[in-house]
Amino acid sequence: MKLLENKVAIVTGGSRGIGEAIVRKFAANGAVVVFTYHSSSDRANAIVEELTADGSQVLALQSDAASFTAAEELIKEVVGKFGKVDVLVNNAGITRDNLLLRMSEQQWDEVMSANLKSVFNLTKQVVRPMMKNRGGSIINISSVVGVFGNAGQANYSASKAGIIGFSKSVAKELGSRNVRCNALAPGFVGTDMTDALDDKTKEGFISAIPLRRLAESEEIANACLFLGSDLSSYITGQVLSVCGGMNT
Ligand code: NAP
């Protein structure tokens, strides 16, 4: 039996990077996967086509995670189609890096909306269906910089630290209903997001990582599979660092 057989999973921001790896990993492990994207429709459709041809049940929907009403409509559609939600991965996220001295209100607000409000939006909508279904696993993608901060990322670090406080609170509220909620804190992962960093910054980060390399997206997806499956049935309210030892 596959680890996510008979489970319905939603992954936000599944068209690229870590989210795409999670979609692939969940589909390979038997889940029905619905993933969202913001604007990469061609890429999202190509992923659906490929995974469907392999026999998986995968659906992509354009949905802005920062929008409360879009989240409401998304969950309604998924529950209407598949009857339940077992796993929610709040993965969608952006960066708008700048030193605080130069950071605009817009850069602050965009990051807070896409990274933190999105987690509230989606989580709020799955609470009822998960309670009705007598269980569920919510995985919120934070970051090591949400734990120890990073110069030039006050907005991003604050959003990722907020996710940790949110996840622990939700775990305490919903534990008695068998709904688990954990945060996953990746270190630096090789995706479009980190490709934007210059080589000198990247080298600096890598030298501070005990495993001396960036993570592959699949390594983050493996931890998500663990948190989304019943293998982690007694784990809630935790922050799982997948950071090559950076946060040690
Ligand atoms: P990425 O390659 O830039 O991909 C971001 C994904 O999020 C894309 O699928 C994008 O959709 C989607 N997205 C962005 N804003 C959205 C919105 N408002 N609504 C719906 N979807 C939205 O990023 P990544 O590196 O894979 O990062 C994924 C998550 O891991 C983020 O939360 C990030 O903060 C976190 N993280 C990343 C790293 C790292 O080193 N890469 C480290 C720690 C944590 P489109 O393709 O349509 O734009």
Side-chain angles (χ1 to χ4, degrees), residues 80-200:
K81 264 198 177 91
F82 302 108
K84 60 174 185 165
V85 180
D86 297 289
V87 183
L88 166 67
V89 185
N90 282 306
N91 165 78
I94 59 168
T95 49
R96 297 287 182 267
D97 296 352
N98 218 338
L99 293 172
L100 185 58
L101 207 57
R102 295 196 203 111
M103 186 175 289
S104 65
E105 185 184 7
Q106 189 182 350
Q107 286 175 322
W108 174 268
D109 287 344
E110 282 179 4
V111 167
M112 284 298 157
S113 298
N115 294 9
L116 183 57
K117 185 171 179 245
S118 60
V119 175
F120 162 74
N121 291 342
L122 273 295
T123 305
K124 182 168 166 60
Q125 298 303 329
V126 298
V127 167
R128 273 182 213 284
M130 282 186 173
M131 279 168 55
K132 203 171 152 208
N133 198 30
R134 296 175 195 284
S137 174
I138 301 161
I139 304 162
N140 296 323
I141 308 296
S142 176
S143 166
V144 286
V145 305
V147 179
F148 56 69
N150 196 21
Q153 290 196 310
N155 51 359
Y156 182 81
S157 303
S159 72
K160 295 299 183 183
I163 285 175
I164 293 173
F166 179 84
S167 304
K168 286 175 184 264
S169 303
V170 170
K172 288 183 176 175
E173 278 187 35
L174 299 178
S176 64
R177 304 306 190 92
N178 195 34
V179 175
R180 301 182 293 111
C181 182
N182 292 288
L184 202 155
F188 289 92
V189 188
T191 68
D192 294 348
M193 193 176 270
T194 42
D195 277 352
L197 299 170
D198 61 75
D199 285 348
K200 204 173 151 220

